[in-house]
Amino acid sequence: MRKITIAKGDGIGPEIMDATLKVLKAAGAPLEYEEIKIGKEVYLDGNSSGISTESWDTIRRNKIFLKAPITTPQGGGYKSLNVTTRKSLNLFANVRPVKSYYPYVDTKHHNMDVVIVRENEEDLYAGIEHRQTDEVEQCLKLITRPGCEKICKYAFEYARVNGRKKVTCFSKDNIMKQTDGLFRKVFNEVAAEYPDIESDHMIIDIASAKLANYPEDFDVIVTANLYGDIISDIAAEIAGSVGLCGSSNIGEQCSMFEAIHGSAPDIAGKKIANPSGLLNGAVLMLRHLGEQEVANKIENAWLKTLEDKIHTADIYKEGSSVKKVNTQEFADAVIERLGQKPSELNPVENVSSETIQFLKYERKTHKKELKGVDVFIHDSRTNAVEFGDELKKASTGDLELILVTNRGVKVWPEGFSETFCTDHWRCRFVSKDEKTISNQEVIELLKSVGEHGFDAIKTENLYYFDGERGFSLGQGQ
Ligand code: NAD
C-alpha cells in the first residue's frame, strides 16, 4: 500500500473527492490516504497561505498529493495556494492532457489529443512586482536556464515514454529575445538529443490561434508558465471538457494531481458536479506511481460510462444523452463498468510503465564583463530632449550616457515627437572604448546622477557573457 496525502478542498471539492475515492477503492488501487485541511477554512482562520505547517509536513512526507479544488477568498492578502505549492515543492512541470470524446461530449474538434507541458515555477509567475514611479508598475519575467532545461527535457521524455511523435515549442522570441530566446534556444538544444521525435517552434500568438482552430495538428506542446496557463484552458474549453480534464504537477521529490477546474461555488452542495476532472487527475497519479493496470481499468470504465451516455448535468444533452446522473450516481456507473472497455472510443491499453527521467542539471559559469549600466529614473518632465541633455551632464569619466528610452522606445539623442513619454526613463550609460568597469564605477555614476538632481529608482548592469551581449538593444537603437 502506498500512502498519499489528500485534501478535499472547498465548494464541490468534498463531493468529487468522495466520488473519486469510491472509484479508486472499487478498482483496487493500492493506496492509503492521509487527509489534510487546506483552503478557505484555513485562510479564514487567519493563515494567509491557506495551509498549516503540519499539512506541509504531511505532503512532504507522503510525496504524492491528490488535491480537490479550493476557493481563494477574494480581496487582498490571500496568496494562491496552488502557485505556492508548485513553487515551494519544486513542481516544475504542469502536464495537462486534453482530448475530445466526440460524439459523447460535444465539440467541433473530433480528433483532438494534445498534451500541454507547461513550465510551472517561473516566468511572470515569480510574482516579483514593484511600483516604481507615479505612473509605472513592473513585473519581472524570470526565465532561467535550469527551468528551461528541466521543462524541455521533461516534454521530450514524456513524448518518448508515451509514444508521442512531435513536440512543439510555443514562445514569443521574436520580441523577447533574451527570455523567450533562451527558452527556444534550450528547446533546440534538447530537441537535438531526441532525433526520433519531431520538433518545431511556433510564435505563441499564431500558435494559439492555430491550436484553437486545428488542435488535431498538435501533439505535445511545451511552453512557459503564462502562455501554458492560457493555452491549456483554451484547449480544454474547445475539447468541450473543462469539467473532464485532470492535471499533474510533477516535481523531483513530490508531485500533486488535481482537476483543472475550480471549486464551482455556484453548484456546491447540490451533489451534481462532474467528478471526472479529479478522477482523471487520480488516473494520472496512478500512472505516475507505475500502477498502469488499475489506471487502465478506471480509465476504460470511465470511457465506457461516457459512451453509454450516462452523463452529469454539465455534459448532458437532451436527445443524445441517455441518463442524467448526479455525482455519486456517476461514480457508481463507473464502478459498475470496471473491467469493461469502450467499443467506439479508443480503449486505453499498453501504457508504458517506463518512468520519465529527470534532467540532472549541471551549473556552468561564464566569463562575465561589466560594460555599462541602465539607470532607470523617475522624472515627470515630458520633453525627452530636455531630459536627456540635462542627464548627459551626470556622465562620469568612465560612463557616458548614450541612449534614453521610454517604455523601451528610443527618445534621446534622437526620437520622434509623436512618442508618448511616461515618467519612467531607461538611461543607458556605457564605458568608454568598451572598457570593462567595476561596480565601484557604477556607484560613482549613481552618486553623480543624484547630485545632478535625478531620482534613480533602479539599475540593471550591462554584461557581456563569454564576449556575447547579455542585454537587449533599445527599440530604434
Ligand atoms: P470554476 O472552474 O470553479 O467554475 C467555472 C464554471 O464551471 C462554473 O459554472 C462551474 O459550475 C462549472 N464547473 C466547474 N467544475 C465543474 C464540475 N466538476 N462539474 C460541473 N460543473 C463544473 O471556476 P471559477 O468559478 O472561476 O472559480 C471558483 C473558485 O475556484 C475560485 O475561488 C477560484 O480561485 C478557485 N479555483 C481553484 C482552482 C484549483 O484549486 N486548482 C482552479 C481554478 C479556480
Side-chain angles (χ1 to χ4, degrees):
M1 285 288 192
R2 170 73 199 242
K3 195 186 263 185
I4 67 160
T5 307
I6 58 162
K8 294 193 174 180
D10 300 313
I12 59 170
E15 300 158 41
I16 59 172
M17 181 61 90
D18 288 345
T20 299
L21 295 180
K22 198 172 172 189
V23 176
L24 287 173
K25 187 166 178 224
L31 300 170
E32 267 179 56
Y33 307 103
E34 189 168 359
E35 188 180 340
I36 57 165
K37 287 256 170 298
I38 55 165
K40 198 170 174 184
E41 211 179 289
V42 184
Y43 280 118
L44 298 179
D45 246 13
N47 189 328
S48 65
S49 65
I51 182 167
S52 68
T53 316
E54 295 74 40
S55 296
W56 275 127
D57 291 344
T58 308
I59 296 173
R60 293 172 71 199
R61 189 172 55 245
N62 294 329
K63 313 235 180 286
I64 300 291
F65 182 24
L66 180 64
K67 183 183 87 51
I70 52 166
T71 302
T72 312
Q74 299 289 313
Y78 300 112
K79 292 260 166 32
S80 161
L81 179 56
N82 289 321
V83 177
T84 312
T85 311
R86 289 166 187 163
K87 294 205 291 198
S88 308
L89 297 178
N90 182 211
L91 309 183
F92 67 92
N94 183 210
V95 186
R96 289 187 177 189
V98 187
K99 219 172 153 172
S100 55
Y101 302 100
Y102 184 82
Y104 306 101
V105 177
D106 202 22
T107 169
K108 290 180 194 147
H109 308 287
H110 303 177
N111 301 309
M112 172 176 184
D113 184 5
V114 180
V115 179
I116 293 161
V117 178
R118 161 190 169 197
E119 197 292 318
N120 220 9
E121 294 182 287
E122 44 192 53
D123 191 2
L124 291 159
Y125 287 51
I128 305 172
E129 296 188 289
H130 298 95
R131 178 169 176 177
Q132 296 186 321
T133 69
D134 293 333
E135 295 174 344
V136 175
E137 310 266 350
Q138 175 191 264
C139 176
L140 275 190
K141 173 165 166 135
L142 289 180
I143 299 287
T144 72
R145 179 163 266 278
C148 296
E149 285 191 13
K150 279 197 290 184
I151 198 67
C152 291
K153 170 95 175 164
Y154 188 88
F156 279 95
E157 278 289 311
Y158 180 95
R160 199 175 57 71
V161 166
N162 291 284
R164 299 263 172 177
K165 304 275 178 286
K166 185 168 83 172
V167 181
T168 307
C169 171
F170 286 8
S171 85
K172 190 79 184 169
D173 70 325
N174 53 332
I175 302 295
M176 285 162 278
K177 296 176 197 295
Q178 299 284 132
T179 48
D180 283 31
L182 176 63
F183 197 95
R184 182 176 181 180
K185 185 173 168 207
V186 171
F187 173 80
N188 290 342
E189 289 168 9
V190 176
E193 294 168 23
Y194 294 83
D196 50 322
I197 295 167
E198 204 187 319
S199 64
D200 65 355
H201 170 269
M202 291 176 82
I203 301 290
I204 181 74
D205 36 8
I206 187 63
S208 311
K210 294 279 184 208
L211 176 66
N213 226 6
Y214 309 103
E216 59 284 350
D217 289 352
F218 295 89
D219 193 348
V220 175
I221 296 169
V222 63
T223 192
N225 206 341
L226 176 63
Y227 308 142
D229 196 3
I230 297 168
I231 63 160
S232 52
D233 272 20
I234 295 175
E237 180 70 19
I238 61 167
S241 57
V242 179
L244 306 185
C245 294
S247 104
S248 345
N249 296 271
I250 307 289
E252 283 160 46
Q253 279 98 36
C254 301
S255 294
M256 175 172 83
F257 301 84
E258 57 186 340
I260 69 162
H261 59 74
S263 58
D266 52 338
I267 55 165
K270 295 186 181 162
K271 301 187 166 50
I272 56 166
N274 189 343
S276 299
L278 189 60
L279 184 63
N280 280 323
V283 167
L284 293 172
M285 175 184 75
L286 289 167
R287 298 205 182 287
H288 180 78
L289 291 170
E291 296 290 345
Q292 305 304 351
E293 209 175 298
V294 195
N296 291 353
K297 193 168 162 188
I298 297 174
E299 198 167 344
N300 282 328
W302 175 75
L303 289 168
K304 180 83 172 94
T305 311
L306 282 190
E307 203 177 86
D308 287 346
K309 302 180 179 178
I310 297 174
H311 293 162
T312 43
D314 54 319
I315 57 168
Y316 180 83
K317 267 210 146 173
E318 204 66 53
S320 71
S321 300
V322 167
K323 193 174 174 196
K324 191 194 269 185
V325 288
N326 66 26
T327 313
Q328 286 304 324
E329 288 165 343
F330 184 83
D332 290 339
V334 174
I335 290 168
E336 268 168 39
R337 287 163 181 75
L338 287 169
Q340 298 182 32
K341 286 182 183 169
S343 45
E344 296 296 321
L345 293 168
N346 286 335
V348 186
E349 285 162 324
N350 305 325
V351 178
S352 166
S353 276
E354 211 184 325
T355 42
I356 292 181
Q357 297 302 311
F358 294 140
L359 172 95
K360 301 253 178 306
Y361 180 73
E362 278 174 39
R363 178 164 296 158
K364 292 191 191 83
T365 52
H366 298 267
K367 185 175 177 229
K368 194 171 95 170
E369 293 164 292
L370 183 59
K371 300 281 187 181
V373 62
D374 277 348
V375 181
F376 291 78
I377 289 177
H378 178 183
D379 195 292
S380 36
R381 74 193 93 180
T382 50
N383 186 318
V385 177
E386 201 183 287
F387 171 83
D389 288 349
E390 198 56 36
L391 181 66
K392 192 173 166 55
K393 296 178 190 159
S395 298
T396 57
D398 297 304
L399 287 161
E400 192 179 14
L401 182 69
I402 60 147
L403 168 79
V404 177
T405 69
N406 201 292
R407 293 189 295 179
V409 178
K410 182 178 155 197
V411 291
W412 184 94
E414 281 141 30
F416 290 167
S417 58
E418 291 87 347
T419 306
F420 177 79
C421 291
T422 68
D423 59 359
H424 184 269
W425 307 82
R426 188 265 300 262
C427 312
R428 177 158 290 176
F429 291 85
V430 297
S431 62
K432 298 212 173 102
D433 307 321
E434 296 200 357
K435 182 170 82 82
T436 299
I437 53 163
S438 68
N439 285 334
Q440 194 51 42
E441 281 149 297
V442 172
I443 293 167
E444 291 302 323
L445 172 71
L446 284 179
K447 207 165 146 232
S448 167
V449 166
E451 282 165 1
H452 282 79
F454 290 94
D455 177 12
I457 48 171
K458 80 159 195 167
T459 59
E460 289 287 351
N461 287 352
L462 304 177
Y463 290 113
Y464 279 69
F465 289 85
D466 298 332
E468 244 183 68
R469 179 165 44 81
F471 50 90
S472 60
L473 297 177
Q475 284 153 6
Q477 191 181 0

